[in-house]
Amino acid sequence: MDANTLGLMAAGFLHVFSPMNMGMMILGVTIGIVVGCMPGLSAAMGVALLLPLSFGMKPETGLIMLGAIYCGAIFGGSISAILIHTPGTPASAATAIDGYQLTLKGKAGKALGTACTASFFGGLFSCISLYFFAPALAQLAMKFGSPEYFWLALFGLTIIAGVTSGSMVKGLMSGAFGLVLSTIGMDPMEGVERYMFGIDALYNGINVTCAMIGLFSMSQVFILIEKAIKERGNVIDFEDSVFLKAKELAQIFPHVIRSWLIGNIIGILPGAGASIACFLGYDTAKKFSKRKDEFGKGSIEGVAASEAANNAVTGGSLIPTLTLGIPGESVTAVLMGGLIIQGLQPGPELFTKYAEMTYTFFAGFVITQFFMLLIGLGGCRLFAHISRLSDAILIPCVFVLCVVGSFAINNSFVEVGIMFLFGFFGYLMRKLDLNTAAVVLALILGPIGERGLRRSLTLSSNDISILFSTPICWILIALCILSSFSPILMKVLKKREK
Amino acid sequence: MKRTDLYICGFMYLFCAFFQHETAKFPEGARHYPYFVIGLLFLLTTVRLWDMVHQYMKDRHVINDVSETFKGFLPKQFWTMFAAFIGFFVLMYFFGFYLASLVYILFCLHYFRIPKKYVAMVLVVMLALTYFTFGWFLNVPLPKGEILGEFL
């Protein structure tokens, strides 16, 4: 790490302590925990819904707020997992196993304290890789030309195969569906209107923010209105302290370190996410623990391992998003949307031209972890009651926020219509096992891939060999192949294991 | 072979056909890329269909999973809420955002039988939140409505 980078890191910490940045961190973490602790809402949905709030802010402030919502939501999911045995987000599914058992034993405070402390360390340590790997990867991206960007976009799209939990072909179909939708708007090379049907608002293509609000937030409203409103379980009042003793901290610390490494690597790998990390962290802790028999019956080690792993994903997942423009999961796709809204393109420029802003955001991400610890420990009793908020109240509130958020993008009703349409499509896609995150990935990466491909062909007078002309192209082609066939490889390996 | 997968394939083919038809109207140079992505979707849909046919040849059975997919679906509640969404858009267009929100939230909470004290709380919180965040902080000119806007 050179002196210039160290200087930028220091400057980042100086800039981050402005009242506006601090205020947005507190607001973001609080909103994130509230969103995360409500079982009807997800982290991606929360970030998408509140994306329009970042319009009027400086880029770094907006990103700090969105990052704080992300971290807060991942931790927030553990509150309802521990208290009412319903994970607020899929990332806390493993936390529910031991967290709820602790609650039944009258140790809910201990479980919440463990979750919050482990989340803090997981998130804080994940910033280390963000500081060290992101600039290095961005330097590599500086060598990218049009052909490399085409393959990079394709690599991002093949990740869909890995992201998809059900049928791989259906996941890829969702991506291709998104790719077709990404061609709507003005042709970037020929200046021809494509599928605009006289709607001027589609000149720059489908607004990705509208699509994200629709696919993640509005679709959730449709999911909530189709079934009878569920009664939430009662929150058990707890009297025990949320603060851990030194002995307990020493007990969970090795698991936190192990889960941090697991979560961080999973976060960096595009396609995997916090929901996988929490189970891997939990299983590994069980294997290495001296108190294996306590797992499943109320172990603070289990809670800590799961929570450290899912929060360690946050910093790691930002690395491919910010440096290569490959959002590996839905939340980072939405965060990347926030970046694009601010007129910034992920890639090397974030570490050269906009380095000051990027390092302020990184510093904000570090400080956010401290606010998460303070707000989480101090407010978990209040958040516990919020987690019981009825879906009947959430439905109109989320819908109104979806409408006002999409309207605020261009002060236009067309965007509201697009959001609603995508919301309905998103609902049907979720019901039919298609992948909404794949559509978002395709909407973001489609134009990058198209520009890369067409520019390359223009430069080479339509000679296709330009796409295979550099070693980086070949590395990316190999990654595309590996990524496409990874689910098949995994199946074969699992069969052999059996 | 699942029935819902058949519907998905049918929809994707129709989608491809529509976009292919529209692409044919473009000048030569602008057609290649759209044809490439439409072709990709067509190919993947065909792979899926081939998979399904292969499965059907094995067990000669079409699973009707529509009822399973929409298990617990309450048509009256869903379509009433859907109509309320549309009603909200119409109200917002003619009478502005705040009035539409007020009527819509009142209707929803009444429909779900939420106690009156919570209704008042939700109304105050939501309207204040949107006013201070979007109207005041972000300076977004929220719609005043075609009719109400004339008087404001």
Side-chain angles (χ1 to χ4, degrees), chain A residues 53 170 195 225-227, chain B residues 5 23 69 71 74 77 133:
Chain A
L53 280 183
K170 272 168 94 173
Y195 325 112
I225 62 169
E226 70 162 10
K227 287 188 175 127
Chain B
D5 282 353
T23 311
T69 306
K71 197 177 172 186
L74 301 172
Q77 179 178 299
T133 314

Side-chain angles (χ1 to χ4, degrees), chain A residues 22-98:
Chain A
M22 301 292 273
M24 286 305 136
M25 272 184 245
I26 296 169
L27 185 74
V29 167
T30 312
I31 293 173
I33 298 177
V34 169
V35 167
C37 76
M38 285 194 270
L41 312 180
S42 69
M45 180 197 163
V47 181
L49 200 60
L50 296 158
L51 198 58
L53 280 183
S54 66
F55 296 167
M57 299 174 192
K58 280 183 183 173
E60 59 268 35
T61 311
L63 284 172
I64 285 170
M65 185 193 70
L66 296 176
I69 298 172
Y70 180 23
C71 294
I74 298 290
F75 158 65
S78 69
I79 296 175
S80 49
I82 290 167
L83 296 176
I84 54 175
H85 205 218
T86 311
T89 58
S92 297
T95 312
I97 304 170
D98 278 298

Side-chain angles (χ1 to χ4, degrees), chain B:
Chain B
M1 181 157 75
K2 287 181 186 170
R3 184 160 285 184
T4 52
D5 282 353
L6 269 176
Y7 295 152
I8 293 170
C9 288
F11 171 79
M12 290 300 182
Y13 279 131
L14 279 175
F15 184 78
C16 287
F18 174 73
F19 273 79
Q20 199 277 339
H21 175 260
E22 289 297 314
T23 311
K25 296 174 190 167
F26 299 166
E28 176 71 20
R31 281 185 214 163
H32 302 303
Y33 184 74
Y35 275 152
F36 170 65
V37 285
I38 294 165
L40 188 69
L41 179 59
F42 185 85
L43 181 78
L44 287 164
T45 310
T46 309
V47 169
R48 181 71 193 152
L49 192 67
W50 173 258
D51 240 17
M52 286 156 56
V53 171
H54 192 70
Q55 190 65 40
Y56 179 75
M57 298 303 268
K58 265 190 197 167
D59 42 47
R60 302 261 165 198
H61 178 56
V62 179
I63 304 162
N64 187 359
D65 61 335
V66 180
S67 53
E68 184 60 35
T69 306
F70 291 94
K71 197 177 172 186
F73 183 83
L74 301 172
K76 193 183 158 201
Q77 179 178 299
F78 185 87
W79 294 114
T80 306
M81 280 294 118
F82 195 91
F85 296 154
I86 305 295
F88 176 85
F89 293 138
V90 175
L91 270 176
M92 185 167 80
Y93 184 75
F94 287 110
F95 298 100
F97 173 78
Y98 290 106
L99 192 69
S101 301
L102 186 89
V103 174
Y104 166 76
I105 295 173
L106 269 176
F107 170 77
C108 276
L109 298 180
H110 176 73
Y111 183 84
F112 289 120
R113 297 195 179 98
I114 297 292
K116 274 181 187 155
K117 64 172 179 179
Y118 293 120
V119 174
M121 272 166 67
V122 173
L123 269 175
V124 170
V125 169
M126 275 311 290
L127 293 178
L129 182 79
T130 45
Y131 174 75
F132 284 109
T133 314
F134 291 92
W136 181 73
F137 179 67
L138 292 176
N139 268 323
V140 175
L142 291 171
K144 287 176 180 165
E146 291 288 307
I147 295 173
L148 215 62
E150 293 287 315
F151 302 100
L152 294 172

Side-chain angles (χ1 to χ4, degrees), chain A residues 179-192:
Chain A
L179 272 183
V180 178
L181 292 177
S182 77
T183 59
I184 292 174
M186 191 60 77
D187 182 307
M189 308 293 275
E190 304 279 327
V192 177

